[in-house]
């Protein structure tokens, strides 16, 4: 059950209107790592979780908070647009507000489509997509993805902080930065606790039989670049984070295997092949006849099958 309380978690009031900044702020609302993404990502992870208890409660709780962050940003964007002029003040463009808006860097559709309001889009007006969401059912994989989402989102909010001198906007961003700090640490702590309790471990998925993978290359760093400095990293020698092996370094890939020849699809896909067109047409006609015969056989067999009483 969702119940909406008409309160905000933190103040969300700008000092002055700013349509250009309202467009910039759309990125952390409806972008790939925006609040809409993390709010729904955490909700879907909780809905799809296979175990009860603290991890499920954690994900539900943060997801609900993130929905509140969606609301705060939407309210802030609407207020930034509330008293913004339709165009710039220069006489050269003021006669055409749409041109003025484009030149000024504002989002035209915030006015035309949303009536001076926020939209579920990024700063370029690209619609938010459900494909941004990560919800695999594997908690260690998901919690690591959540930490990454919070890190990417915090980077963007930090950049936006320096793109305005509005004290009201900065106050909200300062709060969001602090909550992103907490959420990064929460997800990393939860991932570590999963491993400490033996619920999950590296490599993900940890319950896949290791004998089914080619273990001789499982911990081998293969240098596919002409830079040699990667050999100096801890990923090129020493124990692996999963505790199951030792890293090794190969300065260049070994010789490969021959490339398979070009594929020859069904002629009815009409791809260009080495066969003459006449041969392709004949082969297609032959396959059509074969399909017709097989379909007739299946239909006859289905009719002949005795009905259950």
């Amino acid at each position: 059950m969702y119940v909406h309380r008409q309160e905000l978690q933190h103040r969300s009031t700008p000092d002055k209107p700013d349509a250009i900044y309202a467009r910039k702020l759309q990125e952390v609302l409806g972008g790939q790592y925006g609040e809409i993404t993390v709010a729904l990502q955490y909700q879907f992870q909780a809905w799809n979780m296979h175990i009860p208890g603290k991890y499920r409660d954690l994900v539900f709780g943060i997801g609900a908070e993130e929905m509140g962050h969606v609301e705060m940003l939407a309210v802030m964007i609407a207020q930034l647009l509330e008293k913004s002029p339709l165009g710039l003040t220069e006489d050269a463009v003021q006669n055409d507000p749409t041109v003025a808006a484009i030149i000024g860097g504002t989002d035209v559709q915030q006015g035309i489509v949303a009536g001076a309001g926020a939209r579920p889009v990024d700063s370029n007006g690209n619609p938010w997509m459900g494909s941004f969401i990560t919800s695999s059912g594997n908690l260690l994989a998901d919690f690591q993805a959540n930490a990454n989402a919070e890190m990417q989102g915090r980077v963007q909010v930090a950049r936006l902080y320096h793109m305005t001198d509005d004290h009201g906007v900065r106050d909200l961003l300062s709060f969001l930065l602090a909550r992103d700090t907490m959420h990064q640490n929460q997800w990393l702590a939860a991932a570590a606790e999963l491993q400490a309790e033996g619920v999950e471990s590296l490599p993900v998925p940890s319950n896949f039989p290791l004998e089914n993978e080619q273990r001789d290359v499982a911990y081998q760093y293969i240098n596919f670049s002409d830079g040699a400095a990667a050999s100096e990293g801890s990923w090129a020698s020493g124990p692996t984070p999963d505790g199951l092996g030792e890293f090794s370094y190969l300065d260049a890939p070994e010789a490969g295997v021959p490339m398979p020849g070009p594929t020859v699809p069904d002629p009815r896909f009409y791809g260009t092949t080495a066969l003459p067109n006449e041969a392709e047409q004949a082969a297609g006609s032959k396959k059509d006849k074969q399909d017709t015969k097989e379909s007739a056989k299946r239909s006859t067999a289905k009719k002949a099958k005795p009905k259950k009483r």
Side-chain angles (χ1 to χ4, degrees), residues 32-47 49 54-64 66 132-155 179-192 194:
Q32 181 178 358
Y33 297 107
E35 300 289 359
I36 295 175
T37 295
V38 291
L40 289 177
Q41 177 161 306
Y42 304 162
Q43 298 288 357
F44 272 97
Q45 288 177 4
W47 292 327
M49 198 172 294
K54 62 182 177 182
Y55 296 113
R56 192 166 185 260
D57 289 353
L58 168 73
V59 181
F60 266 134
I62 303 180
E66 297 291 7
F132 294 158
I133 288 176
T134 298
S135 177
S136 70
N138 183 289
L139 294 190
L140 185 52
D142 284 352
F143 289 177
Q144 293 286 355
N146 295 351
N148 172 68
E150 296 286 351
M151 292 174 190
Q152 296 290 344
R154 193 173 188 275
V155 166
R179 295 310 296 161
D180 285 348
T181 295
M182 177 57 179
H183 293 161
Q184 285 183 36
N185 282 280
Q186 278 183 308
W187 293 126
L188 293 173
L194 278 170

Side-chain angles (χ1 to χ4, degrees), residues 35-114:
E35 300 289 359
I36 295 175
T37 295
V38 291
L40 289 177
Q41 177 161 306
Y42 304 162
Q43 298 288 357
F44 272 97
Q45 288 177 4
W47 292 327
N48 297 339
M49 198 172 294
H50 309 302
I51 58 175
K54 62 182 177 182
Y55 296 113
R56 192 166 185 260
D57 289 353
L58 168 73
V59 181
F60 266 134
I62 303 180
E65 180 183 358
E66 297 291 7
M67 193 60 74
H69 295 178
V70 171
E71 185 167 58
M72 284 190 292
L73 284 169
V75 169
M76 175 63 79
I77 290 170
Q79 290 180 99
L80 286 167
L81 293 167
E82 184 179 14
K83 296 179 180 178
S84 294
L86 292 177
L88 299 180
T89 57
E90 287 80 3
D91 293 337
V93 292
Q94 185 60 33
N95 290 335
D96 190 336
T98 302
V99 174
I102 294 172
I103 294 174
T106 60
D107 182 352
V108 181
Q109 289 196 331
Q110 283 180 328
I112 297 173
V113 177

